[in-house]
Amino acid sequence: MSESTPINPNSQPTEAMDSVKPNEEITAVSDRSAKTRQLLGMKGAAPGEKSIWKIRLQLMKPITWIPLIWGVVCGAASSGNYTWTLENVLMSAACMLLSGPLLAGYTQTLNEYYDREIDAVNEPYRPIPSGAIPLPQVITQIWVLLISGNALAFALDVWAGNEYPTITTIAILGSFIAYIYSAPPLKLKQNGWLGGYALGASYMAFPWCTGHALFGELNWKIVVITVVYSLAGLGIAIVNDFKSVEGDRQFGLKSFPVMFGVTKAAWLCAIMIDVFQALIAVYLITIHENLYAAILLLLIIPQITFQDMYFLRDPLKNDVKYQASAQPFLVLGMLVAGIALGHAGI
């Protein structure tokens, strides 16, 4: 009898399974990433969410709350009066709720409502153009967030013992600017300069002044400084425009990439982010806060590095990567500036 060669019947299936598993794992990770991006309101999300509360959260774009919450921290620092007591921690948390989930959530939901036609082109997976939530429910959410936010602002004025309702005034002004930013007939976002600065001020000046007013007395110097810092915020706002160039051009919105072209807009964005932070550092030198000024200048260097590595080379592809890499240094610089102002007693 001739000898037969042993056969392993499982060898090929095992190899096939080994080749499939990595692909399945990559797909699973990609799906989880897409769902996370969907929940946070980021570009490149996945459609198909069924939970109404997750859809409502997606409308509010939680990823945008972070700089506003951080602005409250910077304002508390610039007041020079913040101490680590339980009451102050609770007041700060309530102020972060006001600036982030409530009023930023209101702003983003309002913008989603008025941008639903543009989003159908740029981001069709968003909740409204995808049909995941009816328009009447979106309108209800806008009103609930608006009323809750302004009510909490008044409560914070009372809690802080402010003779003049400074926080309420800021909340009402911010709510109004959010409306004219998104809604016709003004629709400030149609113009890159007006819309970008309105967005920059909303992200930096308003929460900063709110945090300062919660623990100290808001004065014109702080207002001017935060308004100047908001010009760096205008640069950040321009970064957000690159994801929607085609839709903006189609619907006649004069965003910076549409007005100046992608390359020029990217350079303009980078220059504004760097120059206005440097101007704040120069101001810190004039009030003899040299150490904080030096730290702020050092924090600009990695931002310039990431601009060169990612953003200026391909802003359409690398906008999100640039923001994730560079913005931590910008927001840390804001806190450094806030601490310096508090230390100087401005």
Side-chain angles (χ1 to χ4, degrees), residues 88-153:
N88 284 350
V89 169
L90 293 175
M91 290 175 71
S92 299
C95 194
M96 291 174 184
L97 175 64
L98 165 67
S99 296
L102 294 182
L103 291 188
Y106 152 77
T107 301
Q108 295 297 338
T109 308
L110 187 72
N111 189 62
E112 291 271 323
Y113 176 79
Y114 283 108
D115 274 7
R116 57 191 185 274
E117 293 180 354
I118 299 176
D119 286 341
V121 176
N122 292 325
E123 300 176 270
Y125 50 79
R126 299 296 305 162
I128 298 176
S130 68
I133 184 170
L135 286 181
Q137 291 194 31
V138 177
I139 295 171
T140 300
Q141 179 167 322
I142 291 169
W143 278 108
V144 168
L145 292 170
L146 174 64
I147 294 170
S148 300
N150 283 275
L152 179 57

Side-chain angles (χ1 to χ4, degrees), residues 228-244:
V228 172
Y229 228 132
S230 296
L231 289 166
L234 171 55
I236 298 299
I238 298 171
V239 177
N240 295 323
D241 290 336
F242 287 92
K243 71 178 185 295
S244 55

Side-chain angles (χ1 to χ4, degrees), residues 48-288:
E49 180 59 61
K50 301 300 182 182
S51 169
I52 187 61
W53 294 108
K54 288 184 178 180
I55 292 169
R56 292 186 184 282
L57 191 62
Q58 186 184 358
L59 280 173
M60 296 160 64
K61 290 189 178 180
I63 194 69
T64 65
W65 303 348
I66 298 171
L68 290 108
I69 290 172
W70 190 256
V72 171
V73 175
C74 297
S78 68
S79 73
N81 298 322
Y82 185 84
T83 55
W84 289 97
T85 64
L86 177 59
E87 183 180 21
N88 284 350
V89 169
L90 293 175
M91 290 175 71
S92 299
C95 194
M96 291 174 184
L97 175 64
L98 165 67
S99 296
L102 294 182
L103 291 188
Y106 152 77
T107 301
Q108 295 297 338
T109 308
L110 187 72
N111 189 62
E112 291 271 323
Y113 176 79
Y114 283 108
D115 274 7
R116 57 191 185 274
E117 293 180 354
I118 299 176
D119 286 341
V121 176
N122 292 325
E123 300 176 270
Y125 50 79
R126 299 296 305 162
I128 298 176
S130 68
I133 184 170
L135 286 181
Q137 291 194 31
V138 177
I139 295 171
T140 300
Q141 179 167 322
I142 291 169
W143 278 108
V144 168
L145 292 170
L146 174 64
I147 294 170
S148 300
N150 283 275
L152 179 57
F154 180 76
L156 285 172
D157 270 321
V158 174
W159 195 353
N162 293 334
E163 294 183 5
Y164 179 82
T166 307
I167 297 173
T168 306
T169 302
I170 295 171
I172 293 172
L173 178 61
S175 301
F176 174 71
I177 290 179
Y179 178 77
I180 63 174
Y181 172 81
S182 297
L186 294 180
K187 202 174 180 69
L188 296 181
K189 68 179 299 178
Q190 291 180 346
N191 182 283
W193 291 104
L194 294 176
Y197 187 73
L199 193 61
S202 299
Y203 271 66
M204 289 190 173
F206 289 154
W208 190 317
C209 290
T210 301
H212 190 102
L214 187 62
F215 297 102
E217 185 174 347
L218 187 62
N219 58 73
W220 67 269
K221 289 184 179 179
I222 294 296
V223 173
V224 170
I225 291 167
T226 57
V227 165
V228 172
Y229 228 132
S230 296
L231 289 166
L234 171 55
I236 298 299
I238 298 171
V239 177
N240 295 323
D241 290 336
F242 287 92
K243 71 178 185 295
S244 55
V245 176
E246 292 305 320
D248 290 349
R249 186 179 289 115
Q250 181 176 332
F251 286 91
L253 298 185
K254 296 180 180 179
S255 65
F256 277 85
V258 172
M259 288 192 298
F260 299 106
V262 170
T263 301
K264 288 183 180 179
W267 275 99
L268 184 60
C269 168
I271 290 170
M272 295 190 72
I273 291 171
D274 301 335
V275 166
F276 287 102
Q277 287 182 89
L279 288 177
I280 296 296
V282 171
Y283 174 74
L284 295 183
I285 293 173
T286 66
I287 60 174
H288 309 295

Side-chain angles (χ1 to χ4, degrees), residues 10-21:
N10 295 322
S11 60
Q12 291 181 351
T14 301
E15 291 174 1
M17 289 175 64
D18 288 342
S19 64
V20 169
K21 281 183 179 178

